[in-house]
Amino acid sequence: MEKIFETLALVAAIFMGVLWLASPAAQADEPTTIAKSQRDEFACPGMHAEWLDAHTVQCLREKP
């Protein structure tokens, strides 16, 4: 019975380690611009969003 608990604890620890490595905070090399691009697309659909400050956006046409 003790062997089963040790095995389950090992599997749970490995699973938690894999989840931790897959979390966005552990992936520092990848840019976190997903929310920013969605915000830009919402503010200026089909255009480039140039943010002047935290609340003001200027929509610019993209060159074809």
Side-chain angles (χ1 to χ4, degrees):
M1 189 65 131
E2 185 177 326
K3 193 96 164 155
I4 293 173
F5 289 127
E6 289 177 0
T7 305
L8 288 176
L10 179 63
V11 169
I14 291 171
F15 182 71
M16 289 173 47
V18 168
L19 284 178
W20 177 75
L21 288 174
S23 70
Q27 300 171 356
D29 295 340
E30 294 186 21
T32 57
T33 59
I34 294 173
K36 196 176 219 182
S37 65
Q38 289 175 349
R39 177 189 71 169
D40 293 351
E41 183 63 30
F42 178 77
C44 300
M47 302 176 101
H48 173 72
E50 186 72 31
W51 290 89
L52 304 175
D53 61 30
H55 302 286
T56 310
V57 65
Q58 181 181 8
C59 298
L60 303 172
R61 286 194 181 144
E62 294 179 352
K63 296 180 181 178

